[in-house]
Amino acid sequence: MDLELDETQRLVRDAARKFAEERIAPVAAELDRESRFPRELLRELAELGLYGVNIPEELGGAGAGVVAYALAMMEIAQKCASTAVTMAVSNMVAEVITAFGTEAQKRRHVPRITSGEYAAAAFALSEPESGSDAGSLRTTARRHGDRWVLDGQKQWITSGAHAGVTVVWARTGGPGTAGISAFLVEAGTPGLEVGRPEDKLGLCASNTVPLRFESCELPEDALLGEVGGGFSIAMMALDGGRIGISAQATGIGEAALAAATAYAGTRRQFGKPIGAFQAIQWMLADSRTELDAARLLCLRAATLKEAARPFSREASMAKLYASEAANRITARALQIHGGYGYVRDFPVERHLRDARVTTIYEGTSEVQRMVIARKVLEG
Ligand code: COS
C-alpha cells in the first residue's frame, strides 16, 4: 500500500476539508440540536462531486476512486457525522446501481444522485425483525402481469424520507438468501409509505425512517440485477459501505481528539495545564495511536477495493476497529473535558453520541467479527 496520496486524492481531500470547514462546521451543532436534514448543504456537497467520488465521470461522478472517497468521508465526518452518513449511503447506492444496473437504470438514477438533484439515495435491507440476520427478511415482491408488487416493512432507513431512489431488498423466491432480489423504488411511488423519523441518540441531522410497502407496484425494469441475486448485491454493497463507515468513525474520533487536545492545553488545574498530567497524556497518546491504526485499516481496505482485489475481510476489520476506537476516543475526550464535556456548549458530547451507532449500523461489531472469523477459518 502506498502511504503517499496521489494528486487526485489530495485534491478531493482538500476540497472536502475546505467545504467541511467553511460550510459545515459553522452549522453542525445547530443542525444536530434542531434535528434538521441539511438539504441545501447536501446539494452543494454533491456539486463538489462528493455524492459520487468513486463513480465514473460519464455518470456525473468524480471518478476519483475509493481511497479518495474514504479521505473525503473522514473530512466531512470530522465536522458533521450526520452529513457524512447521508453522503456515505448516497455514494453506496450510486455505486450499487453503477455496478449492477442496466444502462437505462444507470442513466436514469446515477447522474441524479451525483448531481444532487436527488437529495439523497437510500438502501433498504433491514426490517423490524431482520437486522443482523439479513437473509431472513420478509418483504415480498411478486410478479403481477408485467409488474412487480412489493409488500412489507423496512426499518432504520437512512435518508428514507428524502431519497430520490431507494434500493429495496425483497423476497421473490423461497426462504433463505437465494430467494432475495433487489429493486429500485423511486420517491413518490404509490404504495410506498414513509414513517415517522426516528428520535435518535446521535446523528440527529440525518434522516432515519421506517418504510412500509402496501401493494406497491413497480415496473418490470425496477429489478436490479438477477432474480434471486439480491443478497450478494447487498453483501457486496455493504463491504464497500463498511469502508465508508470506518472512515466516518475515524473522522468522528479525529474531531474528538482535536477538541480534547485543545482543552488539555488550556484548562488549568493544580497550577498547570491538565495536559501536563500523565493521566491525560496517556489518554491522548492512546487516542492518537488508535486513530492512526483505524485510518490505516480503512485506507488498506480502500486500496484493495480500488485495485479490484478481495477486500471483504479488510473492510470488516476496518469497520470493527475504527467504530470501537471512535467510541473509546470520544469517551476519553469527554472525560478530559470533565463536566464541560457533559454539556452542549462543547462539541464532545455530540461526537460521543454520533460515534455510538458506528458499532451498530452497516453490520454490528458482532457481524464484523463473524465475517472476519469466517475468512480466517477459510484460510
Ligand atoms: N460478497 C458477495 N457475496 C456474499 C458476501 C460478500 N461479501 N457475503 C456473502 N455472500 C453470498 C454468499 O456467497 C452466499 O451465496 P451462495 O449461497 O451462492 O454461496 C450468500 O451470500 C449467503 O451468504 P452467507 O451464507 O454467508 O449468509 P448468512 O445468512 O450467513 O449472512 C452475514 C452473513 C451475517 C455476514 C450477513 O447476513 C450480514 O452481513 N448481516 C448484517 C447485515 C447488515 O450489515 N445490515 C445493516 C444494513 S445497512 S444499516
Side-chain angles (χ1 to χ4, degrees), residues 145-174:
D146 62 352
R147 319 282 288 169
W148 288 100
V149 183
L150 289 190
D151 282 282
Q153 292 178 60
K154 293 290 169 181
Q155 187 75 15
W156 319 126
I157 307 309
T158 300
S159 306
H162 300 277
V165 65
T166 300
V167 190
V168 179
W169 278 267
R171 194 163 290 289
T172 46

Side-chain angles (χ1 to χ4, degrees), residues 287-301:
S287 295
R288 184 65 265 154
T289 306
E290 290 172 24
L291 276 172
D292 279 18
R295 181 186 163 84
L296 287 167
L297 283 171
C298 171
L299 294 182
R300 177 180 67 162

Side-chain angles (χ1 to χ4, degrees), residues 70-351:
L71 294 167
M73 273 295 298
M74 288 177 198
E75 296 297 330
I76 301 298
Q78 279 188 49
K79 301 304 178 199
C80 177
S82 298
T83 303
V85 74
T86 309
M87 170 179 153
V89 178
S90 295
N91 273 274
M92 175 163 69
V93 171
E95 286 197 31
V96 173
I97 300 174
T98 301
F100 298 100
T102 60
E103 274 312 304
Q105 287 170 331
K106 288 190 231 183
R107 276 200 306 275
R108 177 160 181 81
H109 296 295
V110 178
R112 291 186 168 92
I113 299 172
T114 53
S115 66
E117 181 185 330
Y118 289 164
F123 185 97
L125 178 66
S126 297
E127 299 186 353
E129 291 182 59
S130 153
S132 292
D133 185 7
S136 68
L137 65 83
R138 291 190 196 163
T139 294
T140 57
R142 61 191 161 78
R143 292 299 296 249
H144 184 70
D146 62 352
R147 319 282 288 169
W148 288 100
V149 183
L150 289 190
D151 282 282
Q153 292 178 60
K154 293 290 169 181
Q155 187 75 15
W156 319 126
I157 307 309
T158 300
S159 306
H162 300 277
V165 65
T166 300
V167 190
V168 179
W169 278 267
R171 194 163 290 289
T172 46
T177 55
I180 295 171
S181 305
F183 296 88
L184 298 177
V185 181
E186 299 188 12
T189 303
L192 160 60
E193 193 188 306
V194 177
R196 183 182 63 81
E198 302 293 348
D199 190 5
K200 298 175 298 201
L201 174 72
L203 297 188
C204 297
S206 78
N207 170 258
T208 311
V209 290
L211 300 177
R212 178 186 287 275
F213 299 93
E214 264 186 44
S215 303
C216 177
E217 283 198 19
L218 306 177
E220 197 164 24
D221 63 4
L223 177 73
L224 181 71
E226 304 288 321
V227 172
F231 194 75
S232 286
I233 294 178
M235 292 299 110
M236 284 187 250
L238 283 171
D239 283 344
R242 288 165 186 165
I243 296 175
I245 301 307
S246 71
Q248 182 203 27
T250 305
I252 298 169
E254 289 287 358
L257 177 58
T261 307
Y263 190 79
T266 53
R267 171 73 171 173
R268 296 179 71 85
Q269 292 292 278
F270 305 103
K272 50 188 171 183
I274 59 170
F277 290 97
Q278 198 177 49
I280 305 296
Q281 291 170 358
W282 286 19
M283 286 198 251
L284 298 177
D286 285 348
S287 295
R288 184 65 265 154
T289 306
E290 290 172 24
L291 276 172
D292 279 18
R295 181 186 163 84
L296 287 167
L297 283 171
C298 171
L299 294 182
R300 177 180 67 162
T303 302
L304 288 171
K305 182 179 170 198
E306 192 157 315
R309 290 172 55 192
F311 68 96
S312 174
R313 183 186 66 138
E314 288 77 7
S316 283
M317 288 167 71
K319 199 272 188 185
L320 169 66
Y321 186 82
S323 62
E324 298 204 337
N327 276 273
R328 290 191 294 273
I329 292 160
T330 53
R332 282 184 204 123
L334 197 148
Q335 186 70 17
I336 289 171
H337 280 72
Y340 293 104
Y342 201 65
V343 293
R344 292 193 179 214
D345 302 341
F346 286 79
V348 286
E349 61 82 32
R350 172 165 58 92
H351 301 321

